[in-house]
């Protein structure tokens, strides 16, 4: 059993990365339930191997573990027959939640925000995995190119290339959607 000092050090070092881990898991799995399971598995592995953590910023270390958990989960899932559909109620609840406790906006603004958030989420989720992964790590988790390169185990130039391509794909899809709506 781990000593209380080790558990406290783990909690103080790794637990602040929970939101970033969930964000990445949510975009990789495209499901809140699967993201919860994936984050739990990643934290369990991180605790198990915390003695091997070299110190410094725990985010890249934890997100690399989460990424490895995701690919193991994905291989297992692909081996199964059929895949359940995501629950649309979860997406609506997540899009309407206000984490900052601000005054509610008018219904029209709320519907526009929900629609735009859902569109952006769908556009990001539609990206191929390597592009989606670097876009989420950079734009949502605010990691450096070096950290992303370490997590994804690719050169920084590849990270930059994938990020540029991901941004371009999202931009093109967004503009195509705007043109389609204007018709």
């Amino acid at each position: 059993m781990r000593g209380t000092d080790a558990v406290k050090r783990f909690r103080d070092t790794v637990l602040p990365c929970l939101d970033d881990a969930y964000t990445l898991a949510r975009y990789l799995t495209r499901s809140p339930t699967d993201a919860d399971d994936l984050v739990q598995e990643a934290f369990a592995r991180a605790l198990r191997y915390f003695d091997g953590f070299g110190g410094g910023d725990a985010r890249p270390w934890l997100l690399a573990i989460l990424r490895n958990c995701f690919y193991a989960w994905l291989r297992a899932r692909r081996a199964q027959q059929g895949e359940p559909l995501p629950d649309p109620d979860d997406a609506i609840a997540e899009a309407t939640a206000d984490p900052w406790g601000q005054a509610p906006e008018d219904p029209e603004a709320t519907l526009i925000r929900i629609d735009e958030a859902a569109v952006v989420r769908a556009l990001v989720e539609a990206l191929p995995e390597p592009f989606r992964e670097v876009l989420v790590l950079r734009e949502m988790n605010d990691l450096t190119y070096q950290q992303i390169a370490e997590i994804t185990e690719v050169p920084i130039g590849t990270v930059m290339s994938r990020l540029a391509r991901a941004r371009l794909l999202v931009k093109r899809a967004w503009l195509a959607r705007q043109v389609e709506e204007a018709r």
Side-chain angles (χ1 to χ4, degrees), residues 113-159:
R113 186 178 49 80
I114 290 170
D115 182 50
E116 288 178 349
V119 169
V120 169
R121 181 173 289 113
L123 294 176
V124 171
E125 289 178 354
L127 291 171
E129 287 170 26
F131 301 126
R132 184 172 69 239
E133 182 177 62
V134 296
L135 186 67
V136 170
L137 288 171
R138 178 68 191 125
E139 301 301 339
M140 294 171 194
N141 290 343
D142 200 31
L143 295 178
T144 66
Y145 293 152
Q146 179 64 41
Q147 291 169 324
I148 296 169
E150 290 170 11
I151 291 168
T152 59
E153 300 175 336
V154 297
I156 289 178
T158 302
V159 169

Side-chain angles (χ1 to χ4, degrees), residues 32-111:
T33 305
D34 292 335
D36 288 340
D37 293 344
L38 192 62
V39 168
Q40 184 175 352
E41 174 65 23
F43 269 80
R45 286 187 189 183
L47 179 59
R48 190 173 326 136
Y49 299 109
F50 189 63
D51 293 338
F53 174 61
D57 188 358
R59 250 182 349 156
W61 178 74
L62 176 66
L63 295 178
I65 292 171
L66 183 120
R67 181 178 182 268
N68 292 336
C69 289
F70 167 71
Y71 283 110
W73 171 84
L74 189 61
R75 283 189 297 276
R77 188 166 193 139
R78 286 183 177 164
Q80 296 174 349
Q81 293 291 339
E83 200 167 315
L85 295 173
D87 185 356
D89 292 335
D90 290 342
I92 292 170
E94 185 177 326
T96 58
D98 185 5
W100 295 282
Q102 297 173 342
E105 51 194 16
D106 67 16
E108 183 180 7
T110 300
L111 289 174

